Amino acid sequence: MKAFQNTKQSRIIAAVAAAMVLLAGISFLAYRFQVFGAVKSGQDRNRSQNQALLLEDASTDTSALQVYWFDGSTVKVRTIYDSAAEKELIKHIHGFPLKEADEQALHGLEPPFYGIWISDTEGWDLTLAWSGGVWLKNDGSVYYGDIDFPSIWERMEGDEDTMTVLQFPNAGRLARYNPLFMLKSEQVIPDCADGVSLSVEAAADGTLTARIHNNSREEFTYGEYYSLQKQIDGTWYTLPIMEGNVGFPDIACILPAGESTEKQYNLDIFGPLEPGTYKLVVEGLGAVFTIY
């Protein structure tokens, strides 16, 4: 009887010991998962603060990559068509840490400015602008992140072209903080020419209603493209488009002689417009209006 009791006690002790070992194992695994989760979470945060916020969706296999340089008067762009070279440049950019910033960081930025353009995996434009350690993405997000852009530009090999400041990446957003990104108009654009005139009838809720009058003896052909100018200290400046991925249908509209037509134009693509005097420009004709 005593031997049976000893055996029973031994089994109980063994069972308790096994349970403790199992509990310890579970606790250790839980700890490992907790640590792994914290590390992964930290990695995800770092990733969201770096690659995912800049060029993660860039399609290097289907799109060329352009690097821009703007010294305050001239915009130059160099284009890379080699996928491997694009990937190497993007990898280099992703190697620099980022820190989230707000729009106030865009105040006071001075030339030179650098920019990047490439298409994403869905074919939409993906653009970045950089100056003085501040990044600006085309979705409006801003980050602090230093990088040696001058050396990147110097090492760039590819076709080089000259463009207007309106074509600089994210020029529409940068123009709110630096007038260098507005293009000074070198000519006076009339509201009437050769019997054709343009007038503004209403401006409300981001939509401009205008009318084209054809008082000539010939058909007038016009397209869907339009631009917007703002008068600053008596001088007209063309505003860059603020919103990304804006396109104009490449079609021709015909207005017969002696007729007129009403057209509506979206002003929201130029971003929030402050009170002032503006001019809608369509096919070499301009119509002045005021925003109060």
Side-chain angles (χ1 to χ4, degrees), residues 4 31 40 45-46 57 79 82 96 116 120 132 171 175 178 181-182 190 211 232 250 252 256 270 275 287 289:
F4 175 76
Y31 171 76
K40 187 176 185 301
R45 284 196 300 271
N46 289 337
D57 296 326
T79 305
D82 180 74
F96 291 84
I116 291 177
D120 66 13
N178 196 318
F181 290 93
M182 292 185 286
R211 181 168 292 277
I232 302 175
D250 188 17
F270 301 100
F289 64 100

Side-chain angles (χ1 to χ4, degrees), residues 151-225:
S151 65
I152 293 176
W153 175 259
E154 292 301 324
R155 293 197 306 268
M156 280 285 296
E157 294 182 0
D159 299 336
E160 181 173 303
D161 297 294
T162 301
M163 297 185 174
T164 72
V165 71
L166 301 179
Q167 296 166 295
F168 190 87
N170 306 332
R173 295 184 181 278
L174 290 168
R176 299 178 61 188
Y177 304 94
N178 196 318
L180 288 174
F181 290 93
M182 292 185 286
L183 184 64
K184 183 178 179 180
S185 179
E186 300 296 338
Q187 58 181 345
V188 177
I189 300 178
D191 60 359
C192 182
D194 300 324
V196 182
S197 62
L198 178 69
S199 60
V200 170
E201 297 187 339
D205 299 326
T207 299
L208 189 71
T209 302
R211 181 168 292 277
I212 303 174
H213 309 261
N214 184 6
N215 296 319
S216 71
R217 297 181 179 180
E218 300 178 355
E219 293 180 339
F220 176 68
T221 303
Y222 62 97
E224 293 295 305
Y225 176 79

